[in-house]
Amino acid sequence: MQKVYLDNAATTPLAEEVIDAMVSVLKNNYGNPSSTHSFGQEAKVLIENVRRQAAEYLHVSPAEIVFTSCGTESNNMVIKSCVENLGVERIITSPMEHKCVAETVLELKNKKKIEVVYLRPNKKGDIDLEDLEAKLKNSEKKTLVTLMHANNEVGNLLDIEKVANICKENEALFHTDTVQTMAHYPMDFSKIPVDFASCSAHKFHGPKGNGFTFIRKNSKLKSLITGGPQERSLRAGTENVCGIVGLGKALELSLANMEQYRNEMEEIKSYTISSLKEAVPGIVFNGRSGEMDKSLYTLVSVLLPFEEPLIGMKLDMKGIAISQGSACSSGASTPSMVMMMLLDDDQIGNGTPLRISFSHYTTKDEIDYFVDNLKIIVEEHLIEKTEC
Ligand code: PLP
């Protein structure tokens, strides 16, 4: 049976070059980077090279990059420390955020009694930046704004430069979850005044369990994990050298081929959109997903015009991996929080959300195989409807 992987927003396969780089470290560089002998120092050099590489990509200084275990940890670290250590009393966010941001904010609200203000997105998932500005102007409380660069379920892109400038003008801190955009888009934080951002290697063909946090210099953020002085005391624990090297190799490949990969994936995305429109009458593109310039080129999110809770399983039986929402909520029988915000009442219970996400390995033949199999399911539903 053909196997087609269209769930790259959940995770991506490791690039061969990444595997090779990691295997080499596992075999040859077992020293502890905190050790002063040559074994340790060789490992330390490997880490520092990746830190420099990440810093160059973001146009920041290497001291502003802190390696972590994942995007979830990076986001937790920033949000929790802003409240614990930087005197943040109010967080402005949106209901479109990833669970690792949403749940962290909620927990802080429950425990610390910080004020949380939600910006209500419209039915396309757009955040009203005038509303953000008004909310920032009307408060004396020290505020953190946390808004994601791109939504992982529908792909909506946010103008983080605009948000960062609004925050700066109003003396608020700005954290952005860039897990779906790091290594896919150019980032210049010497021009965009974001304070904190997150990265996760497994979203761009690097290893799972590796990421980094960008922390603007002099921000006085503290470590989430206490212990040794690793990562300039911002993240205790012996570094995952092999994973960091894997992250570095994946970043190197993504940056060297960014334009080419983007062009290829944009072509795959438009091809998917037109094939789906032809194959599924009444299909809806969720949020800004159908608009190339306003959404991630790595994914498309649709609502099929019938309810089929077993669609993920049916496609899986044909060897096709897609998501019925994000990886965190797939398998759940109810639509995710994000979909609930975007769908009209009559669409909930009458439609099936699907997220199809690409990598530069995705081919048009794979899209054809997916669409052909989806068509069979659509036809079954049309027959069922006429028989009723
Ligand atoms: N933020 C976004 C937007 C994501 O898509 C994800 C992963 O799905 C995360 C955060 C969490 O990243 P990680 O899997 O590295 O913890």
Side-chain angles (χ1 to χ4, degrees):
M1 184 173 58
Q2 194 173 344
K3 292 284 249 181
V4 173
Y5 185 73
L6 296 172
D7 200 13
N8 291 278
T11 196
T12 54
L14 282 177
E16 281 297 326
E17 295 90 331
V18 171
I19 298 172
D20 292 346
M22 291 176 73
V23 168
S24 166
V25 173
L26 288 171
K27 282 183 177 167
N28 307 311
N29 305 99
Y30 51 86
N32 185 325
S34 297
S35 301
T36 50
H37 50 63
S38 65
F39 291 80
Q41 288 313 292
E42 277 164 25
K44 177 97 181 145
V45 167
L46 293 176
I47 293 177
E48 293 315 312
N49 286 344
V50 179
R51 195 189 310 283
R52 209 164 27 246
Q53 194 189 338
E56 267 171 34
Y57 164 49
L58 300 181
H59 301 262
V60 300
S61 117
E64 294 172 302
I65 304 293
V66 173
F67 292 114
T68 62
S69 70
C70 58
T72 297
E73 184 191 326
S74 292
N75 289 335
N76 265 262
M77 168 189 196
V78 170
I79 297 168
K80 287 182 177 160
S81 183
C82 278
V83 175
E84 301 281 346
N85 314 112
L86 304 191
V88 163
E89 300 167 289
R90 187 175 72 138
I91 293 181
I92 300 183
T93 186
S94 94
M96 303 282 290
E97 300 303 304
H98 188 270
K99 257 186 184 299
C100 67
V101 168
E103 291 295 318
T104 306
V105 170
L106 207 59
E107 189 189 290
L108 285 165
K109 183 185 171 203
N110 293 340
K111 274 192 188 164
K112 288 273 173 186
K113 301 192 171 46
I114 51 159
E115 186 192 346
V116 180
V117 178
Y118 290 97
L119 301 168
R120 294 277 146 206
N122 64 16
K123 281 289 176 193
K124 283 283 179 192
D126 302 322
I127 304 292
D128 182 349
L129 298 189
E130 283 178 18
D131 186 26
L132 169 66
E133 212 166 352
K135 288 187 161 75
L136 285 172
K137 280 200 161 58
N138 292 333
S139 175
E140 296 288 294
K141 287 186 178 169
K142 182 152 185 188
T143 300
L144 169 72
V145 173
T146 175
L147 292 172
M148 66 204 316
H149 188 192
N151 180 269
N152 51 300
E153 287 188 57
V154 294
N156 282 23
L157 283 165
L158 178 75
D159 185 345
I160 53 169
E161 183 162 8
K162 212 167 180 176
V163 176
N165 283 317
I166 292 173
C167 290
K168 195 174 175 195
E169 280 158 26
N170 291 282
E171 292 172 17
L173 292 166
F174 178 40
H175 162 248
T176 181
D177 176 350
T178 39
V179 165
Q180 290 288 343
T181 51
M182 281 263 188
H184 293 287
Y185 291 83
M187 304 256 175
D188 187 348
F189 290 169
S190 71
K191 298 209 175 88
I192 304 176
V194 309
D195 294 288
F196 313 107
S198 46
C199 173
S200 178
H202 73 100
K203 305 294 184 183
F204 51 95
H205 308 286
K208 289 160 193 60
N210 277 94
F212 66 77
T213 317
F214 160 71
I215 301 174
R216 179 78 68 192
K217 212 181 291 176
N218 301 327
S219 69
K220 302 199 168 56
L221 211 73
K222 291 230 168 95
S223 180
L224 190 69
I225 300 169
T226 44
Q230 290 91 350
E231 296 295 301
R232 294 168 200 267
S233 295
L234 278 163
R235 208 279 183 175
T238 303
E239 296 88 339
N240 177 353
V241 184
C242 154
I244 293 171
V245 167
L247 183 158
K249 182 50 85 177
L251 186 62
E252 180 193 316
L253 294 169
S254 296
L255 300 186
N257 301 293
M258 191 180 274
E259 211 179 307
Q260 184 200 328
Y261 289 171
R262 182 178 181 152
N263 290 340
E264 287 167 4
M265 279 188 262
E266 279 181 347
E267 203 176 319
I268 289 286
K269 177 164 171 170
S270 344
Y271 184 72
T272 307
I273 290 175
S274 51
S275 303
L276 285 172
K277 278 183 180 163
E278 207 179 304
V280 190
I283 195 165
V284 170
F285 291 85
N286 301 317
R288 295 285 177 195
S289 182
E291 296 165 67
M292 296 295 288
D293 55 335
K294 292 189 175 152
S295 61
L296 285 171
Y297 57 83
T298 48
L299 72 82
V300 63
S301 165
V302 297
L303 187 75
L304 304 176
F306 52 83
E307 197 178 22
E308 176 50 280
L310 299 180
I311 196 148
M313 199 184 78
K314 285 187 173 180
L315 290 168
D316 193 31
M317 283 164 66
K318 299 287 178 189
I320 302 161
I322 47 89
S323 166
Q324 280 180 261
S326 70
C328 315
S329 54
S330 61
S333 53
T334 48
S336 71
M337 173 76 173
V338 170
M339 291 311 299
M340 293 292 274
M341 296 289 310
L342 302 186
L343 299 182
D344 292 328
D345 288 349
D346 62 332
Q347 287 176 312
I348 298 169
N350 290 316
T352 307
L354 275 193
R355 181 186 70 181
I356 307 115
S357 49
F358 322 109
S359 80
H360 61 274
Y361 299 121
T362 310
T363 64
K364 285 187 181 169
D365 280 351
E366 290 179 325
I367 299 299
D368 288 343
Y369 181 71
F370 156 64
V371 174
D372 287 349
N373 278 288
L374 182 65
K375 232 175 358 205
I376 296 170
I377 299 171
V378 171
E379 275 154 19
E380 281 168 10
H381 276 271
L382 286 177
I383 293 166
E384 218 172 79
K385 212 171 166 186
T386 41
E387 279 175 354
C388 288

